[in-house]
Amino acid sequence: MAYFDSLFFSEPVIIRLLIIAFLMASVAVFAFIKKQLTISGIAAAVAVGSIVTYIGGLTALVILLFFFLSAAVIGRVLPEKAGRIHKKGGRRDAMQVLANGVPAVIGLLIYRFTGFGTAGLVMFSAGIAEATADTWSGELGSLSRSDPVSIITFTKVPKGLSGGVSAIGTLSGLLASFLVSLLAAGCYLLPPLSIPIITVSGILGALFDSFLGATIQVHYRRPDGALTELEESDGKKNERARGIPFIDNDTVNFLSGLFAVLIAFILSSFA
C-alpha cells in the first residue's frame, strides 16, 4: 500500500480530488443500496472518508473501509435484534458516523501537521480499532446465550443495553481490534510494537464505552419498567432512570474513540 500512497500523493491536487470523488461516490452508492446509512449518514461518511483519504492516503481509506464493510457484513449476517432499546435503528446517521470517525481523523491531523508522525498513524488506527471493536462487541455479543452483565455491578442486564458486557462480545471486540492493528501495521509498515498498542487501545476504548454506558449515558424507563434509550414509547414520554440527559450513545461513542486515541498516544510515547 505504501507504493500506491506514494503514487497518490505524487499526483497534482486536482487529480487526487478526482480520485477521492470517485471513491467516495462508490462508497455512497454502496451505502445507499445496502441501506447501511441514512442520507445524512452518507453525507457524513463521504466527508470523513474524503478527509481521511486526502490526509492519510489510500491506506487510511482501506483501514476505514475495513470498519465500514465489516460492520455491514456482520449487520447483514446476524439476525435482527428484537425489542426496542436503542434510540436509533440499524442505519447509521450523520451523528453516529461523526462520533465514530472524528477521533480517528484527529489522529491523522496529528500525523500530518505535527512531529508525531508514527504516533499519529497509530492514533488513527486506534480510533478505527475502537469503533470496530465496539461494533463487533455489540453485534456478536448478541449471540451469547446468557444475558450480558453490567460492567459496573456485574448484574444481568438486557441484551443490547449500553453498559452490558459478555465474554463473546469482549472477545469479538479484542479480535476486531487485533485485526485492525495487523492491517494498519502491514499497510503502513509500522513498527511491530504498534500492533499491541493499537490492539490494547482499541479494546480499552470499547470497554470504556461500556463503562460510560453504565454510568453517565442517559437511560429511560418504559411504562412496563424496562430500561431503554428511547425518550418516548408509543407516543408517551419515558421517565429518565439514570444518566445525564445530553449524554447519549453518540456522545459515548465519541468520548470512547477519543479515549482510545489518547491511550495510543500515551503508549506510543513510551514505546
Side-chain angles (χ1 to χ4, degrees):
M1 287 301 299
Y3 171 74
F4 293 104
D5 279 342
S6 63
L7 287 180
F8 175 75
F9 286 116
S10 67
E11 296 292 340
V13 172
I14 185 63
I15 299 298
R16 277 183 277 162
L17 291 177
L18 288 174
I19 293 173
I20 292 172
F22 171 77
L23 293 174
M24 291 304 102
S26 301
V27 170
V29 170
F30 175 85
F32 180 78
I33 293 176
K34 297 298 182 180
K35 298 181 179 180
Q36 294 299 311
L37 303 171
T38 64
I39 297 300
S40 68
I42 291 175
V46 167
V48 170
S50 298
I51 294 172
V52 164
T53 308
Y54 188 81
I55 298 176
L58 299 178
T59 296
L61 178 61
V62 167
I63 298 171
L64 178 63
L65 287 179
F66 177 80
F67 160 63
F68 176 69
L69 294 176
S70 67
V73 170
I74 291 176
R76 288 296 179 184
V77 171
L78 294 182
E80 186 175 351
K81 297 176 183 178
R84 293 184 301 166
I85 291 179
H86 291 288
K87 182 177 179 180
K88 301 178 181 179
R91 300 174 69 184
R92 296 174 186 263
D93 61 17
M95 291 305 297
Q96 289 171 297
V97 171
L98 294 175
N100 285 299
V102 170
V105 170
I106 291 174
L108 276 185
L109 291 174
I110 290 175
Y111 157 70
R112 179 61 66 185
F113 299 111
T114 72
F116 300 100
T118 300
L121 292 178
V122 171
M123 293 165 70
F124 161 72
S125 303
I128 300 298
E130 187 280 327
T132 310
D134 181 52
T135 299
W136 285 36
S137 294
E139 297 291 343
L140 296 177
S142 65
L143 297 177
S144 177
R145 293 184 177 181
S146 58
D147 288 333
V149 298
S150 168
I151 196 172
I152 299 298
T153 64
F154 297 103
T155 56
K156 289 185 177 182
V157 297
K159 288 184 178 180
L161 190 69
S162 296
V165 294
S166 66
I168 293 178
T170 303
L171 290 175
S172 299
L174 181 61
L175 174 62
S177 189
F178 177 64
L179 291 177
V180 172
S181 72
L182 287 181
L183 180 63
C187 291
Y188 269 126
L189 303 178
L190 298 173
L193 192 56
S194 65
I195 295 176
I197 290 177
I198 296 170
T199 301
V200 169
S201 300
I203 190 60
L204 285 181
L207 291 174
F208 187 62
D209 184 285
S210 296
F211 173 78
L212 294 179
T215 53
I216 66 173
Q217 181 177 336
V218 64
H219 286 85
Y220 301 90
R221 194 172 300 281
R222 298 197 319 226
D224 61 5
L227 286 176
T228 177
E229 294 176 17
L230 296 170
E231 298 179 41
E232 296 183 359
S233 296
D234 300 324
K236 297 181 180 179
K237 279 191 171 294
N238 294 318
E239 180 184 357
R240 183 167 65 90
R242 70 185 191 205
I244 302 173
F246 60 86
I247 304 294
D248 59 8
N249 188 253
D250 293 335
T251 307
V252 167
N253 285 340
F254 176 70
L255 294 175
S256 302
L258 284 182
F259 181 80
V261 168
L262 177 60
I263 292 296
F265 176 74
I266 293 174
L267 293 178
S268 296
S269 299
F270 288 100

